Amino acid sequence: HRLLSMGEDCMSGAEVIAGLGLVAGVADSYGQYQEGRYQSQVAKANAKVLEANADKIRLETSINEDIQREEDRRTIARNIAASIEQGMGASPTTIGVLGQQATDLEQNVLNLRYKGLSEAERLDIQAYYKHQEAKQLKSQAKRKFYTGLVKSAFSAGQSYMSAGGTFGGGANG
């Protein structure tokens, strides 16, 4: 039962069915591979955005830290000038109060730094996990592709046999 009778090189219906099944399986496997690669690329792009945001936060934190320190210096200078103007410039109480104020203001700056660096580190950690996700998605895509190829070959063989084809010198070959 040959499809076309144009000579001995024609394929049987079983061969055509098996061939079409194999081609469809390979195409489906390749589609899954492409989808996995795309998802991997999206995860990588998201990781890069997170890394850029972390860098931006670090820069902003550094700038804000410098700005805050400058403001704090002006505040301390105004307070020193006010204490001198009131005649209490060198008193132990004034020096103690100004010293404590300077310490408190510096602690606020350090808290600002800690908050910014912690946020940047959180984003860096998220970026790391996105990079790991990208690697995993790419690996999964390859596994799905190869698994799909094997399944397609087995499915094509089953289709061939179901359509009446035989292997190894049977009635059709």
Side-chain angles (χ1 to χ4, degrees):
H1 54 317
R2 296 275 182 191
L3 277 183
L4 300 173
S5 58
M6 297 178 81
E8 237 7 79
D9 293 337
C10 293
M11 294 196 307
S12 69
E15 291 168 337
V16 170
I17 290 171
L20 290 174
L22 182 62
V23 169
V26 169
D28 182 55
S29 295
Y30 188 71
Q32 289 180 7
Y33 173 70
Q34 289 293 84
E35 176 63 24
R37 282 191 47 198
Y38 171 75
Q39 289 175 357
S40 174
Q41 290 169 346
V42 168
K44 267 188 202 175
N46 288 338
K48 288 183 182 192
V49 168
L50 289 166
E51 289 168 342
N53 288 342
D55 290 342
K56 180 182 173 195
I57 286 173
R58 274 189 281 278
L59 178 62
E60 288 173 353
T61 297
S62 178
I63 290 169
N64 290 339
E65 188 178 336
D66 291 343
I67 290 169
Q68 189 61 50
R69 278 204 175 98
E70 185 59 36
E71 288 176 14
D72 292 349
R73 280 188 212 102
R74 284 194 296 266
T75 299
I76 295 291
R78 279 192 305 271
N79 290 344
I80 289 171
S83 67
I84 291 171
E85 189 176 293
Q86 294 173 3
M88 303 184 310
S91 78
T93 304
T94 302
I95 292 172
V97 167
L98 290 174
Q100 184 60 50
Q101 183 182 31
T103 300
D104 293 344
L105 292 173
E106 181 61 19
Q107 185 61 53
N108 290 341
V109 170
L110 294 175
N111 290 343
L112 177 72
R113 177 195 296 171
Y114 177 77
K115 180 182 175 193
L117 294 180
S118 294
E119 177 65 16
E121 185 176 351
R122 184 185 66 78
L123 292 174
D124 282 336
I125 290 168
Q126 288 179 352
Y128 170 80
Y129 285 120
K130 281 293 177 187
H131 280 297
Q132 295 306 310
E133 178 184 358
K135 288 178 185 177
Q136 182 182 12
L137 287 167
K138 190 173 181 180
S139 178
Q140 281 178 338
K142 287 179 183 177
R143 272 196 311 276
K144 284 182 179 180
F145 177 67
Y146 294 130
T147 301
L149 290 180
V150 171
K151 285 181 180 178
S152 296
F154 281 120
S155 178
Q158 287 177 334
S159 296
Y160 178 71
M161 296 295 287
S162 296
T166 60
F167 292 105
N172 291 338

